[in-house]
Amino acid sequence: MKVLDFIVRSNESLNDKNNLIKVAPANGEPLPEMSPGQFVQILVNNSPDVFLRRPVSINNTDLVGNELWMLVKRVGEGTEKICNLGTGDTMNIIFPLGNSFSIPEKESNTLLIGGGVGTAPLLFLGKKLSEKGYKPDFLLGGRTESDILQLSDFRQYGDVYCTTEDGSFGEKGFVTGHSVLQKNKYDFIYTCGPKPMMVAVAKYASSNEIDCEASLENLMACGFGACLCCIEKTVRGNVCTCTEGPVFNIKELTWLD
Amino acid sequence: MAGLEVQIGDLKLKNPVTTASGTFGYGTEYKDFIDLGSLGAIFVKGTTLEPRQGNDYPRMAETPSGMLNSVGLQNKGVDYFVNHLYPVIKEYDTNIIVNVSGSTIEDYVATAEKLADLDKMPAIELNISCPNVKEGGMSFGVSCESAAKVTRAVREAFPKTLIVKLSPNVTSISEIAKAVEGAGADSVSLVNTFLGMAIDIESKKPKLSTTTGGLSGPCIKPIAVRMVWEVYNAVKVPIIGMGGISSWQDAIEFILAGSTAIQVGTYNFIDPAISVKIVKGIEKYLDRHNIASVKDLVGQMCK
């Protein structure tokens, strides 16, 4: 973990809510190896009502270009300020934080299920699986077509299936209703997105005896295990999502009780 | 170079900058960010006789220039601390001070006795001011009689430096300070968090699972400075001041109001290296003002 100033290399609006922000260390120092599932804590400047840092998952790293990618959704004043940063602006970041998704030792049939901005860490995970020579499938869900983010990036690493609630893109409905779940047999599911979606995915995985990891987005203050605010109730008791997570095997969680 | 050493009871600190319990874990959480040996002391997480799971999620709500928390003293208990955490953290080149919490006087005494046996445990901070546990904590700190009673009982069981952490949720904090001083406290630390609450107007539900919680951060600083100044004028024992400190300037303000040492709390979450920056800032300030020792600045607000 370290605290470092980053320069915004580019900030692209993907739809009316989400931006893809690419940053690089301001002092030029090389980025360390990071793992999918890990996150960063961004300091928001010039905003008296925003006191705490904002946790954001790592969307991708480009170690050649020395770039860190982040998908940021405008949900309040803090994320709004981050999304309004321009090329050349700086942001102070604590990174990398948290644990990561587990990468199977041997090629297995994996499905990565994401909803909305929750797809962010799954792109980085897909890339890592692909680098291992595996070919994951992706199932991305949203309310409408514009909610499906970074489609062409995902397609580099595997087959992509989509659902939208209004039927404007892919199959109509929720991710857990997609026909690919009937068609293919999976050994491992990774999921990140809104909690109701992840709970539905966890129930599906559990009832079909598929191993499953979920990445949680609990409210947090510090991000490195000091404040004990972001706890999740697990079979081991209350644990910090920021240090023991954000990725949990669903068997550790109490969602299915 | 100005002298930064200060003394709290029998306890010597290499500088007046310490970190507040509940915001600094056991120190190890910060070892990537700072040299822990450059701090005057580390006040570790509130410790109770038995393990506690703490309160349900959500436990935190951001507020303008601060935050509410209702962690509820989640910790693994004093025996776990003694056997698993102390052996690691006693190697730090700083003072480790445990914040002791409890529900009954017997709990406080039993916990303090277990800590008294540890060689490198020079002091404890008696927490009679946690607003987030129903069955005790703050209830001891809101009346002079109960504050004195628990302080006296622990004083008899704990021979080293005894610091009592005061609640700001009282009519007169200086009366409570006088009561614990009279009961044998070597020092008082203040303030703990202010009882507060926040409501989500869309769901109409409280933002914390416990409805109310403790408010901390820069938003409480002016009230905390006033309370330190009041207590400074009421007691003789040294004061460890805290409440929203986020810069060396804030630290100087608390020292001028009467703090011998200070604790950096919530701002550690925003800048995990802030405590060390504050040490350097104090040193430069003293040099710039030609003040030989930080001790000479304590309570020196001019009128």
Side-chain angles (χ1 to χ4, degrees):
Chain A
M1 293 186 291
K2 60 161 63 181
V3 189
L4 207 60
D5 281 332
F6 281 71
I7 297 272
V8 177
R9 287 249 183 99
S10 67
N11 182 354
E12 179 194 352
S13 172
L14 300 184
N15 61 21
D16 60 340
K17 282 273 178 213
N18 296 278
N19 283 39
L20 173 62
I21 306 176
K22 299 178 181 176
V23 299
N27 63 4
E29 73 172 62
L31 287 171
E33 194 70 47
M34 289 175 260
S35 303
Q38 289 191 295
F39 66 100
V40 304
Q41 279 271 52
I42 305 175
L43 186 68
V44 180
N45 289 316
N46 307 318
S47 190
D49 282 357
V50 181
F51 177 61
L52 301 168
R53 287 175 183 261
R54 292 295 183 262
V56 174
S57 355
I58 296 171
N59 177 231
N60 190 13
T61 61
D62 170 5
L63 297 184
V64 178
N66 210 33
E67 263 179 12
L68 176 70
W69 295 18
M70 298 171 294
L71 263 190
V72 183
K73 183 180 181 183
R74 297 169 195 259
V75 288
E77 194 182 323
T79 45
E80 187 74 40
K81 280 260 158 52
I82 295 169
C83 286
N84 290 343
L85 290 172
T87 305
D89 286 344
T90 56
M91 61 166 85
N92 184 269
I93 293 179
I94 307 178
F95 77 105
L97 300 167
N99 70 354
S100 54
F101 292 105
S102 49
I103 309 273
E105 286 297 315
K106 284 185 291 188
E107 164 103 72
S108 46
N109 294 317
T110 54
L111 178 65
L112 284 56
I113 305 180
V117 73
T119 57
L122 301 183
L123 181 68
F124 192 25
L125 175 61
K127 180 173 132 174
K128 289 285 176 187
L129 291 168
S130 169
E131 281 170 3
K132 280 276 264 186
Y134 307 162
K135 194 172 170 296
D137 285 351
F138 298 94
L139 176 51
L140 311 179
R143 265 192 286 272
T144 187
E145 183 175 8
S146 63
D147 291 342
I148 309 292
L149 307 168
Q150 298 181 297
L151 196 54
S152 57
D153 293 304
F154 279 107
R155 282 182 172 145
Q156 292 177 69
Y157 306 123
D159 292 334
V160 184
Y161 305 90
C162 296
T163 61
T164 50
E165 287 171 42
D166 65 1
S168 56
F169 190 75
E171 292 185 11
K172 185 173 175 166
F174 294 117
V175 283
T176 40
H178 197 282
S179 60
V180 74
L181 295 172
Q182 313 303 320
K183 203 176 72 186
N184 293 351
K185 177 152 173 42
Y186 293 103
D187 309 310
F188 212 111
I189 291 176
Y190 303 93
T191 185
C192 184
K195 189 161 178 192
M197 184 207 85
M198 290 199 290
V199 172
V201 170
K203 283 182 177 158
Y204 170 82
S206 174
S207 59
N208 289 280
E209 292 177 348
I210 303 169
D211 216 356
C212 179
E213 287 181 351
S215 179
L216 277 53
E217 298 192 301
N218 294 6
L219 280 175
M220 54 182 68
C222 69
F224 45 85
C227 71
L228 309 186
C229 289
C230 64
I231 50 113
E232 179 68 22
K233 202 172 267 178
T234 71
V235 294
R236 297 175 279 138
N238 287 337
V239 302
C240 287
T241 302
C242 65
T243 49
E244 312 261 329
V247 179
F248 292 91
N249 193 294
I250 58 162
K251 287 184 195 132
E252 293 181 272
L253 302 173
T254 53
W255 292 358
L256 306 175
D257 297 352
Chain B
M1 283 288 236
L4 290 178
E5 267 190 31
V6 296
Q7 189 153 348
I8 303 285
D10 291 332
L11 173 68
K12 284 190 170 61
L13 308 183
K14 66 179 86 170
N15 65 61
V17 180
T18 72
T19 53
S21 175
T23 69
F24 213 70
Y26 295 93
T28 41
E29 291 82 352
Y30 285 82
K31 67 175 171 18
D32 283 7
F33 304 117
I34 59 167
D35 168 16
L36 297 165
S38 57
L39 296 173
I42 295 171
F43 288 77
V44 303
K45 177 69 192 158
T47 300
T48 50
L49 189 59
E50 302 294 335
R52 288 180 58 92
Q53 281 294 315
N55 294 323
D56 284 345
Y57 182 86
R59 293 175 170 185
M60 190 275 290
E62 187 179 34
T63 58
S65 295
M67 60 179 270
L68 288 162
N69 88 80
S70 61
V71 171
L73 295 173
Q74 179 177 331
N75 78 101
K76 291 182 174 168
V78 68
D79 289 333
Y80 185 90
F81 174 82
V82 169
N83 296 321
H84 299 280
L85 299 170
Y86 172 74
V88 178
I89 64 180
K90 75 181 169 71
E91 303 301 330
Y92 301 157
D93 181 24
T94 185
N95 295 293
I96 303 296
I97 301 172
V98 175
N99 176 287
V100 173
S101 293
S103 310
T104 64
I105 289 181
E106 293 72 30
D107 281 3
Y108 279 105
V109 169
T111 308
E113 278 173 344
K114 286 177 189 249
L115 296 168
D117 295 339
L118 306 177
D119 289 345
K120 294 189 89 174
M121 181 63 54
I124 58 170
E125 181 183 54
L126 201 62
N127 184 359
I128 56 168
S129 45
C130 177
N132 294 326
V133 288
K134 270 190 215 133
E135 66 274 30
M138 192 170 85
S139 61
F140 284 103
V142 294
S143 95
C144 290
E145 199 181 316
S146 58
K149 206 170 165 189
V150 65
T151 303
R152 197 171 295 119
V154 174
R155 173 74 292 169
E156 281 166 18
F158 188 78
K160 302 179 198 175
T161 300
L162 176 61
I163 302 158
V164 179
K165 186 169 183 177
L166 305 182
S167 171
N169 302 302
V170 293
T171 311
S172 170
I173 196 166
S174 47
E175 289 303 313
I176 308 278
K178 279 196 273 189
V180 302
E181 180 185 47
D186 297 307
S187 167
V188 286
S189 57
L190 61 141
V191 295
N192 204 322
T193 56
F194 287 79
L195 201 56
M197 67 186 265
I199 304 168
D200 181 321
I201 60 164
E202 295 304 322
S203 68
K204 299 173 186 161
K205 288 180 180 166
K207 287 189 177 177
L208 300 175
S209 67
T210 48
T211 307
T212 62
L215 181 66
S216 64
C219 58
I220 69 167
K221 197 192 80 178
I223 321 178
V225 172
R226 185 263 296 175
M227 289 184 162
V228 165
W229 175 71
E230 281 179 0
V231 171
Y232 180 71
N233 288 302
V235 301
K236 293 192 175 64
V237 293
I239 295 166
I240 304 172
M242 82 196 88
I245 295 176
S246 59
S247 65
W248 65 264
Q249 290 93 334
D250 293 343
I252 296 288
E253 200 176 342
F254 272 84
I255 295 168
L256 287 169
S259 307
T260 296
I262 58 103
Q263 292 184 7
V264 185
T266 305
Y267 211 76
N268 288 308
F269 303 154
I270 316 300
D271 180 357
I274 189 64
S275 51
V276 174
K277 292 176 188 169
I278 290 175
V279 176
K280 289 177 186 149
I282 292 173
E283 195 167 21
K284 279 188 187 159
Y285 173 91
L286 295 172
D287 287 342
R288 187 158 53 83
H289 285 262
N290 293 314
I291 299 167
S293 162
V294 68
K295 289 178 219 164
D296 301 333
L297 196 64
V298 177
Q300 295 305 302
M301 178 179 72
C302 301
K303 277 208 202 166

